[in-house]
Amino acid sequence: MSKIFILGDNHGRFNKIIQTVIAERPDAVISVGDIMGDKNIRPLEQELKQILPLTEFWWIPGNHDTDSDAAYDGLFGSALAECNFSGRVVTIAGLRVAGLGGVFRGKVWMPPADAVYESEKDFLRRSGKGNRWRGGLARLHRSTIFPDTYHRLVRERADLLITHEAPSCHPHGFAAIDELARTLGVRTAFHGHHHDCLDYSQSRDKLGFHAFGVGLRGITDSHGTVIVPGELDEQRRFRQPQSNPS
């Protein structure tokens, strides 16, 4: 049986995942986003050079991965750029895994409200030159969920779903993530973004799939077993988050 680890929001600190991969030798590691830090940023393949011969590394972007040119270039411009599977389904260690990176933003789409823009092309056509970056989509919106990306995924089938946004069982989650997971037919879904690891067990029958949040720099396996607790898990386990992470 394959061993897949899910990495929570990393925010530029790679020691835990490096140590864990060396010790546990998983077949693959999948990041839920917010991978890069805000200073002293090196390309992702340099940060992970110790473990890349030992495991596959796949990722989706988080909202903070487009906060700066340096963060964006360190991730999207890295030698691991092709391992970004947001908006598609890929086979990882024998499982079909769907990815949806980024976040919902009201200037584009905030479910359940109707979308303002359907696609990146629609945004660029209607929003004006001030919303362009490097000749294309504004950097911020390169981690925005556009409806056409979401609807392309709806037509697929998968075993696992990896998102940055949370499903509705989280206090700040979205029913749109629930609907995507059910349409994909996944057994299990993982999310990051909120830096917590709440107990969703009471929601399983309602959701129709198993949901897990992965804590700040935490590591969970593909069955939802915590391998490395998130740094804020204990203080956030028994209360609802009061706000989205900054």
Side-chain angles (χ1 to χ4, degrees):
M1 184 178 295
S2 59
K3 183 191 292 187
I4 299 174
F5 285 176
I6 318 297
L7 172 64
D9 296 31
N10 199 58
H11 290 285
R13 299 183 188 176
F14 296 91
N15 287 345
K16 287 184 180 179
I17 188 59
I18 290 171
Q19 293 168 1
T20 303
V21 167
I22 291 172
E24 300 289 340
R25 301 299 175 99
D27 298 293
V29 173
I30 304 172
S31 170
V32 300
D34 283 356
I35 299 166
M36 308 306 286
D38 57 4
K39 57 184 178 181
N40 301 323
I41 296 171
R42 300 188 300 169
L44 184 60
E45 76 274 9
Q46 292 185 25
E47 296 288 1
L48 298 176
K49 63 182 179 180
Q50 289 179 261
I51 62 172
L52 291 179
L54 306 177
T55 191
E56 297 179 36
F57 190 91
W58 294 85
W59 59 275
I60 60 171
N63 53 304
H64 289 297
D65 290 319
T66 58
D67 277 354
S68 68
D69 290 7
Y72 181 91
D73 291 339
L75 185 59
F76 290 87
S78 74
L80 297 177
E82 64 183 15
C83 298
N84 174 11
F85 67 104
S86 181
R88 60 192 178 115
V89 176
V90 295
T91 299
I92 301 175
L95 294 180
R96 286 179 59 79
V97 186
L100 184 66
V103 294
F104 296 112
R105 291 188 169 104
K107 290 185 177 181
V108 171
W109 183 34
M110 184 62 69
D114 291 340
V116 180
Y117 302 98
E118 288 294 326
S119 66
E120 294 181 6
K121 288 183 179 179
D122 184 32
F123 182 91
L124 287 170
R125 183 173 63 250
R126 296 167 51 202
S127 63
K129 294 182 179 179
N131 287 291
R132 293 177 179 267
W133 179 69
R134 294 181 178 175
L137 188 68
R139 190 188 66 232
L140 172 72
H141 289 305
R142 298 189 188 201
S143 62
T144 294
I145 299 171
F146 282 83
D148 69 328
T149 301
Y150 177 95
H151 291 124
R152 282 198 305 271
L153 269 183
V154 164
R155 298 193 290 267
E156 300 284 349
R157 300 289 289 179
D159 302 305
L160 299 180
L161 172 62
I162 308 295
T163 60
H164 196 60
E165 289 280 25
S168 67
C169 49
H170 191 280
H172 302 298
F174 292 87
I177 301 297
D178 306 355
E179 294 166 11
L180 176 61
R182 287 192 290 265
T183 304
L184 285 163
V186 302
R187 300 188 302 267
T188 313
F190 295 88
H191 75 86
H193 191 37
H194 299 289
H195 299 176
D196 51 32
C197 182
L198 305 183
D199 183 358
Y200 299 146
S201 58
Q202 300 302 311
S203 302
R204 288 173 184 167
D205 291 341
K206 178 181 177 182
L207 290 172
F209 57 92
H210 297 282
F212 297 94
V214 190
L216 178 65
R217 302 185 189 96
I219 302 169
T220 299
D221 72 12
S222 58
H223 304 288
T225 301
V226 175
I227 305 300
V228 176
E231 294 177 10
L232 302 177
D233 282 4
E234 286 304 315
Q235 68 190 72
R236 294 190 174 185
R237 189 179 301 277
F238 300 111
R239 65 176 178 85
Q240 293 183 350
Q242 299 303 304
S243 63
N244 286 329
S246 58

